[in-house]
Amino acid sequence: MSESPVPHEPPIYRRIADQLRARIAAGELRDGDKLPGENALMSEYGIARATARQALSVLINEGLAVPKRGSGVYVRLFKPIRRHGSRRLSREQWGQGRSIWDADTRGRPFTVDEVEIVREPASFEAGSVLDTRDVWVRRRRYSVDARPVQLATSYFPADLVEGSAITLNDTGPGGVYARLGDLGVGPAHFTEEVRARMPTPREAHLLDLPGGTPVIVVLRTAYTARGIPVELNEMVLDAAAYVLQYDFDA
């Protein structure tokens, strides 16, 4: 196959990527299978190495494949997590002792690691939102089906949660929102800001992101019924692992 572009057709590297994607969708190439390498694509399509690399990069950037140094590029199928903005944060969820993550994963196994819980001076943003000089911070990483999908950092006014289970590794049934409820300051309203960007080197490492994969950043503030902010949570999501769902009345 010639590398000369055909009028009105996509570049050859995109056509190759489309064919590989179709093989994945059809089940011909399954999760964990090795994709044809650069040499194989060069031989099959009569293309240059740079073109073969571009074709594989398309699938890597889409999250359908992952490179393994010195080994090749492998199919990386993952059922996206459907993150339902309002359902997961409902009082019915955490108020009955269920984890927010149960709403997201719907029975799929998830784990939490890289946990750090510390009291520290508030950053400018956390201090401004929470109107405090010191915060208790909970940092952690979530994995679903053994794949890292999210980093989360929660900030709480230090004096408000001092001595509570929010400062412990195990916060108990219902998590931090149930414990805020125990303190008489349970969340009644949330706001979320959503944006996309490229990950920092640390984020890319912790989320095991292929090169070129963006992240979704969700910044959530929890308020009491009196409008007092009690938590600021910054979540960094692997963009290829999520579908964000929000429902609105007309």
Side-chain angles (χ1 to χ4, degrees):
M1 183 180 293
S2 172
E3 287 192 67
S4 300
V6 177
H8 310 300
E9 285 192 347
I12 180 61
Y13 76 89
R14 289 203 171 274
R15 281 180 275 154
I16 296 171
D18 290 344
Q19 292 174 21
L20 291 173
R21 190 187 303 105
R23 292 175 63 187
I24 294 172
E28 181 182 343
L29 291 169
R30 300 175 180 273
D31 190 27
D33 286 351
K34 187 175 181 179
L35 290 172
E38 294 176 9
N39 290 336
L41 293 177
M42 290 165 61
S43 176
E44 180 177 355
Y45 293 97
I47 56 176
R49 184 174 300 278
T51 305
R53 187 173 295 129
Q54 278 183 296
L56 293 172
S57 293
V58 170
L59 300 180
I60 292 171
N61 292 339
E62 290 177 354
L64 288 176
V66 59
K68 297 183 179 179
R69 187 180 299 276
S71 178
V73 178
Y74 292 80
V75 176
R76 187 195 198 196
L77 294 182
F78 182 81
K79 181 182 178 182
I81 300 164
R82 184 166 294 274
R83 183 183 187 275
H84 193 288
S86 56
R87 183 182 303 150
R88 66 194 302 273
L89 294 172
S90 68
R91 187 182 298 273
E92 180 182 355
Q93 184 71 22
W94 52 264
Q96 295 184 11
R98 295 194 297 267
S99 166
I100 288 175
W101 273 81
D102 290 334
D104 288 346
T105 58
R106 303 184 183 186
R108 298 165 68 182
F110 71 91
T111 57
V112 185
D113 64 3
E114 298 291 335
V115 177
E116 179 187 21
I117 305 169
V118 63
R119 178 172 174 150
E120 62 187 30
S123 65
F124 176 78
E125 183 172 39
S128 298
V129 171
L130 299 174
D131 190 25
T132 185
R133 295 182 61 181
D134 295 302
V135 288
W136 272 97
V137 186
R138 298 181 62 88
R139 297 183 176 95
R140 61 270 190 212
R141 177 177 67 175
Y142 294 92
S143 298
V144 175
D145 295 338
R147 169 176 169 173
V149 294
Q150 182 186 135
L151 307 175
T153 304
S154 296
Y155 304 89
F156 304 88
D159 293 342
L160 176 66
V161 303
E162 189 72 50
S164 74
I166 291 173
T167 65
L168 304 178
N169 195 313
D170 183 1
T171 57
V176 296
Y177 293 150
R179 301 295 76 75
L180 287 171
D182 295 342
L183 295 172
V185 289
H189 177 73
F190 298 92
T191 63
E192 286 192 345
E193 300 176 359
V194 182
R195 60 190 176 94
R197 61 169 170 78
M198 297 307 296
T200 65
R202 179 178 181 275
E203 291 166 348
H205 171 70
L206 288 174
L207 291 174
D208 192 22
L209 297 176
T213 303
V215 293
I216 299 170
V217 180
V218 181
L219 193 65
R220 181 174 71 227
T221 306
Y223 297 88
T224 68
R226 296 174 57 193
I228 299 172
V230 289
E231 182 214 29
L232 177 67
N233 190 353
E234 182 180 43
M235 292 153 280
V236 180
L237 286 59
D238 174 356
Y242 276 88
V243 173
L244 306 186
Q245 178 179 343
Y246 296 93
D247 298 332
F248 304 93
D249 292 330

